[in-house]
Amino acid sequence: MKKLLIYIPMLAGLLMLNACSFFELDAPNDPNNPSLGSVSQNASRTQVQNLITGLESRHRDYVFTVTMLYGTMGRELWYLNASDPRWQTDWLGINGRTATANMFGYLPTYQNPYFAIRQALTTIDAVRNTNTFTEQEKNAVSGFAKTLMAYQYLIVALGQYENGIRIDISDLQNPGPFLPFNEALAQIKRIIDEGDTELSNAGTGNFPLRLTSGFTGNGFGTIAALRQMNRAIAARLAVYQQDWQGAISAVNNSFYNATGSLDAGPAHTYGAPPDSFNPLFFVLNANVTTMMVVHPSVLRDTIPGDARVRTKFFRRTAPVAVTADGTSLAGLFQDRRFPVNTSEVKFIRNEELALILAEANAQLGNTAAAVAAINRIRTAAGIGNYTGATTRDALINEILFQRRYSLWAEPWGHRWVDLRRYDRLNAQNVDVTLDRGTIFRQLARPQAEINWDEYVKNR
């Protein structure tokens, strides 16, 4: 995918210490990088197409850091990198390190989603202020952009958690306040529901602009399918809000298929330069000292014969080993999900929707429905039907166990988030015995944000 972006410098408090508080013109004569002025009024279809393609590119920029960092904090994986010990010392919290504003390498979990959000806002502004599109087409573009906006806001909210996040960033010189976690989720729900409403008023047939194969090649090139994708993301959000009936309703209106492929879903696409390679791909058995490896506790706790372990994990002939601040780490198993370095990465799948359905029904006391969804996952993994207790707590334990393996190292950090929302971020569930690390509850607010607020107070 060619990166056709509108490059938008953000205010210092949102993204970068030296960012401007206005839109600069990187390449005003380049149709691939239109200035804000060139698209805010009477944008052409080509310009809006460029913005959509740029939005897709921005939409995937979180994948590496969120997967690696959130996965590390949930001890789904270790990202071992001998070139700089901070990948281990800071991310694992070795020897009592905490999540500070100067924590190494975590800023992309904050700034990259906001770049995508700004791209989406610009796309919406462009399509709303032109006569080039019909009203239905405008709804389609705006609904799609708001769906991805909600997804990106949620990434930041999950990382920052009790710090809160900014939702209103329409005025870069006067951004809105930090909203507490639950208020932020409510605003994200408003955005994704607006996207759903707009898509419902976008007519029928195909999306009016070109999307990558991550959408069209997976059956998400139509308005109806994009609306189902919107509801799938809404279901994920509803679980975080503990809106169990809302989660069931959203799943039922999503692309969930009780008998369909568990891997079905939209994806981030990758390609050879000038595009980007899949950042989660690592050559099998490569003789390297930089590698994402499976956390030993994941392997220790598996059920014998689980097909997910066989298909996702590759046993190397020799472990990847590093030493950081006196702590030696070694991983013998690596990820084998991606055949080549241009493989796509699904960002929400049918398998997750089945597990959301199981969890919501378990919480509501709908035991038979919860067990049926659990068994859909277990039988696909080749481990037979569930035969344990059917109390709420027993079912939630089972669902969290299945989520650990079904959603392992997905570009989201499910394990870390799941343990936190069930108040299980503790030594019993996060094994730190091997890395002598810290159990993180959240990331720190970036120093640039702190500096910006101080500047605003004193200006």
Side-chain angles (χ1 to χ4, degrees):
M1 178 170 57
K2 190 175 181 181
K3 287 190 175 182
L4 307 179
L5 308 175
I6 180 166
Y7 290 94
I8 305 169
M10 299 293 291
L11 56 95
L14 277 175
L15 295 177
M16 308 178 84
L17 285 168
N18 61 348
C20 301
S21 58
F22 53 87
F23 294 99
E24 292 180 348
L25 309 183
D26 277 8
N29 298 314
D30 181 358
N32 289 346
N33 294 294
S35 69
L36 178 64
S38 72
V39 297
S40 61
Q41 296 292 329
N42 299 319
S44 68
R45 292 187 76 91
T46 298
Q47 287 174 314
V48 178
Q49 174 65 68
N50 290 344
L51 290 172
I52 283 288
T53 304
L55 176 57
E56 276 204 67
S57 183
R58 292 286 194 201
H59 178 50
R60 67 185 182 177
D61 284 348
Y62 74 96
V63 168
F64 175 79
T65 307
V66 167
T67 304
M68 298 300 176
L69 179 54
Y70 292 9
T72 293
M73 292 190 295
R75 298 311 191 271
E76 294 183 89
L77 56 91
W78 282 329
Y79 178 61
L80 303 182
N81 191 319
S83 66
D84 190 328
R86 291 176 296 177
W87 293 104
Q88 290 79 226
T89 57
D90 283 25
W91 284 24
L92 291 167
I94 290 176
N95 294 331
R97 288 174 173 81
T98 57
T100 70
N102 296 315
M103 183 181 186
F104 172 75
Y106 84 101
L107 282 177
T109 68
Y110 193 89
Q111 68 184 27
N112 286 352
Y114 274 117
F115 273 134
I117 291 161
R118 287 298 308 174
Q119 182 89 16
L121 288 170
T122 302
T123 303
I124 293 168
D125 184 59
V127 78
R128 287 296 179 193
N129 292 300
T130 181
N131 295 321
T132 309
F133 293 82
T134 67
E135 192 60 32
Q136 286 187 338
E137 289 176 326
K138 290 179 179 182
N139 284 331
V141 172
S142 182
F144 176 76
K146 287 182 179 179
T147 300
L148 299 194
M149 277 175 62
Y151 185 98
Q152 296 290 329
Y153 272 123
L154 198 50
I155 293 171
V156 189
L158 294 175
Q160 292 294 302
Y161 194 46
E162 293 174 342
N163 292 332
I165 66 168
R166 299 186 198 270
I167 294 292
D168 181 5
I169 58 169
S170 56
D171 183 346
L172 295 184
Q173 296 187 35
N174 295 285
F178 287 95
L179 299 184
F181 183 68
N182 288 334
E183 289 184 32
L185 294 188
Q187 290 301 310
I188 296 169
K189 183 179 188 304
R190 172 186 60 79
I191 293 167
I192 201 161
D193 286 349
E194 287 177 1
D196 179 49
T197 298
E198 290 177 350
L199 287 170
S200 73
N201 292 316
T204 59
N206 294 330
F207 187 72
L209 295 171
R210 185 177 65 256
L211 298 174
T212 65
S213 61
F215 291 97
T216 59
N218 290 301
F220 292 90
T222 67
I223 300 298
L226 290 173
R227 193 177 178 197
Q228 290 178 335
M229 180 190 76
N230 173 289
R231 291 297 84 192
I233 297 168
R236 180 186 284 176
L237 170 61
V239 164
Y240 298 150
Q241 293 184 292
Q242 298 183 21
D243 177 8
W244 309 118
Q245 192 57 56
I248 292 172
S249 176
V251 168
N252 288 337
N253 287 292
S254 73
F255 60 87
Y256 173 65
N257 187 327
T259 59
S261 169
L262 292 178
D263 196 47
H268 302 299
T269 56
Y270 299 92
D275 197 3
S276 300
F277 289 128
N278 179 339
L280 305 183
F281 171 83
F282 294 91
V283 176
L284 296 180
N285 224 27
N287 183 21
V288 296
T289 55
T290 298
M291 177 74 67
M292 179 179 81
V293 298
V294 186
H295 193 274
S297 66
V298 176
L299 298 159
R300 178 196 65 206
D301 297 340
T302 59
I303 295 174
D306 192 327
R308 292 167 295 191
V309 175
R310 295 195 306 272
T311 57
K312 293 182 180 183
F313 306 152
F314 174 82
R315 183 186 177 97
R316 299 170 50 83
T317 56
V320 178
V322 301
T323 299
D325 201 10
T327 296
S328 296
L329 304 171
L332 186 58
F333 287 80
Q334 70 176 94
D335 187 0
R336 71 183 309 166
R337 292 173 298 171
F338 307 109
V340 295
N341 61 2
T342 56
S343 296
E344 65 180 18
V345 176
K346 297 289 177 67
F347 58 85
I348 190 163
R349 297 187 301 117
N350 193 36
E351 190 161 5
E352 180 183 348
L353 297 176
L355 288 160
I356 289 173
L357 200 61
E359 182 179 356
N361 277 298
Q363 289 286 357
L364 292 173
N366 302 328
T367 302
V371 171
I374 290 169
N375 286 339
R376 172 74 179 94
I377 301 300
R378 290 181 62 98
T379 54
I383 55 176
N385 286 340
Y386 177 69
T387 58
T390 55
T391 63
R392 172 193 170 279
D393 287 348
L395 289 174
I396 293 301
N397 287 340
E398 171 67 14
I399 290 162
L400 291 180
F401 181 86
Q402 297 307 326
R403 285 177 66 90
R404 186 181 185 187
Y405 291 91
S406 286
L407 308 181
W408 177 83
E410 306 250 317
W412 196 255
H414 289 285
R415 177 67 174 170
W416 181 52
V417 175
D418 287 348
L419 292 177
R420 183 176 62 198
R421 62 194 179 88
Y422 278 99
D423 198 23
R424 300 186 187 193
L425 276 175
N426 52 44
Q428 181 179 349
N429 297 291
V430 183
D431 187 349
V432 297
T433 56
L434 295 174
D435 55 55
R436 297 188 297 127
T438 300
I439 299 175
F440 294 108
R441 187 169 178 80
Q442 63 189 31
L443 297 170
R445 181 174 293 174
Q447 187 63 49
E449 284 281 30
I450 298 170
N451 293 347
W452 177 259
D453 280 352
E454 286 299 314
Y455 166 74
V456 170
K457 289 177 184 177
N458 298 317
R459 69 181 176 180

